Amino acid sequence: MVQRGDASAPRGRTVTDLRLLLFGSGTFAIPSFVAMAAANGIDIVGVITTAPHRAGRTGLLRRTPVALWAEGAHLPLLEVERIRDSAVVARIAALNTDIGLLADFGQIVPSALLLAPRHGILNLHPSLLPRHRGASPIPAAILSGDTETGVSTIAMDAGLDTGALVRVDRVELSGDERAPVLEERLAHLAAEGIEETLRGWAEGRIAAKPQGSVGASHAPRLRRLDGRIGASTTARRAWAAWRAYQPWPGIYVEIPGVLERLRLDQIGPPLPASDRANGSLSLDSYGRLLLHLPGGALPLHRVTPAGGREMDGAALVRGRPEIVEAHARIAP
């Protein structure tokens, strides 16, 4: 179910053509940007994205999904290392734009640029603000067990996701969502109303409402350490973390004296708890590798030991039977 925010306000002047500036890096932005590129009377004067960065063991430069899209769409593209650099600010401000649209950008836009477009910059944020402000709202919603989430369109200000609400679209959650699937769902939800919202805002037909601070929370940038599962982590929390931390940072355990790190690539929902010690591993009668945690046992379908290849849990035990011995435990 989708619930639309109230976009009613006194009608202003009609804007037939808009010079639009796009800010984005990740895949969440692309459906909305595609919608803008296809809209009549929208002139995309620039696409601003983060510069290529080195990633993985090879250290090869990786361009953002938005950069690849913009290049394929033959749009003017600017890949920036730091958007706060004065030369970058001056170059973007000189583009003479009517309005900006930001989604999944990954950098904080300086105040000087917020005022550069005539009608400011609208930001598409995948949460029900003020809940889950910050860099990782989708994982935060999954980890928190939220029953609903959505996309908030805000008029950007100098704060971190604190701008006034221009539009709010809501969706119900079932409780078994994985981050990549939920992100795709919200990305398409954002795209459905974006042209109407941009035009309505530029024409003065949409009134923004202050967020307030009731229910505000912060979702910080994810770290690799966030994916660590310990012997005291509940089975329910570990299951939520696996769903939330895809594709990165994923979740892993450490088994002192046996394995420095074991990445849990594919797991199942918690099974009922047994009398096994928390933090221990065992093979059940079906040949499944189970991780016993407070409140339940997690089936470990696919795992990757440090320095090894991905395999099923039973294959890991055949090669390292010591992980299911009586005194083997994952680290606290």
Side-chain angles (χ1 to χ4, degrees):
M1 180 179 69
V2 177
Q3 299 176 351
R4 302 296 183 189
D6 180 10
S8 61
R11 179 172 293 276
R13 67 184 181 89
T14 299
V15 177
T16 56
D17 295 294
L18 281 176
R19 290 175 57 82
L20 174 64
L21 186 60
L22 300 177
F23 298 81
S25 296
T27 55
F28 173 77
I30 290 178
S32 293
F33 288 5
V34 168
M36 290 296 89
N40 293 324
I42 300 288
D43 179 18
I44 298 177
V45 298
V47 179
I48 316 301
T49 192
T50 299
H53 64 281
R54 298 193 183 278
R57 295 179 179 177
T58 62
L60 295 176
L61 284 174
R62 181 178 297 172
R63 302 177 73 192
T64 70
V66 166
L68 298 175
W69 166 76
E71 192 171 73
H74 307 292
L75 293 169
L77 175 66
L78 179 60
E79 298 174 277
V80 300
E81 191 72 39
R82 292 185 69 254
I83 198 168
R84 290 178 172 273
D85 286 350
S86 57
V88 173
V89 171
R91 181 175 178 182
I92 296 174
L95 291 174
N96 187 31
T97 55
D98 292 313
I99 194 167
L101 177 64
L102 182 145
D104 201 1
F105 183 50
Q107 297 189 47
I108 296 177
V109 177
S111 298
L113 279 182
L114 296 179
L115 301 175
R118 293 177 183 83
H119 304 292
I121 302 175
L122 298 187
N123 177 15
L124 297 171
H125 186 81
S127 81
L128 300 178
L129 291 171
R131 187 164 175 77
H132 304 319
R133 292 170 175 164
S136 58
I138 293 174
I142 293 173
L143 283 169
S144 300
D146 291 356
T147 58
E148 66 171 353
T149 187
V151 178
S152 298
T153 306
I154 62 173
M156 291 186 69
D157 61 14
L160 179 63
D161 300 324
T162 56
L165 294 166
V166 175
R167 178 185 177 115
V168 177
D169 297 319
R170 299 174 180 268
V171 294
E172 294 180 350
L173 298 178
S174 64
D176 61 359
E177 285 82 6
R178 293 182 294 114
V181 177
L182 181 55
E183 178 178 319
E184 182 178 6
R185 181 183 180 190
L186 294 178
H188 287 285
L189 175 64
E192 289 178 12
I194 189 56
E195 181 181 359
E196 171 192 343
T197 303
L198 279 174
R199 290 195 178 280
W201 181 253
E203 293 171 5
R205 294 185 285 104
I206 297 179
K209 301 176 182 179
Q211 286 186 38
S213 59
V214 176
S217 62
H218 180 59
R221 189 177 301 277
L222 297 178
R223 308 164 301 161
R224 183 175 296 278
L225 183 61
D226 292 327
R228 184 180 181 277
I229 302 301
S232 61
T233 305
T234 67
R236 181 182 295 274
R237 174 74 178 185
W239 170 239
W242 179 77
R243 293 183 290 110
Y245 294 151
Q246 296 181 28
W248 193 88
I251 65 171
Y252 66 92
V253 297
E254 299 163 346
I255 310 176
V258 180
L259 273 174
E260 176 184 353
R261 179 174 296 193
L262 180 66
R263 193 174 71 219
L264 311 184
D265 299 304
Q266 183 178 346
I267 70 174
L271 301 173
S274 70
D275 58 358
R276 296 271 185 169
N278 291 330
S280 65
L281 296 108
S282 69
L283 282 177
D284 69 4
S285 59
Y286 298 100
R288 294 177 300 186
L289 180 61
L290 302 181
L291 172 60
H292 300 273
L293 294 171
L298 294 176
L300 308 185
H301 298 308
R302 304 291 295 179
V303 297
T304 301
R309 59 178 178 82
E310 183 181 314
M311 62 188 72
D312 63 51
L316 176 67
V317 175
R318 287 195 295 270
R320 295 178 179 268
E322 63 270 27
I323 73 170
V324 294
E325 291 177 353
H327 299 291
R329 300 280 191 280
I330 70 170

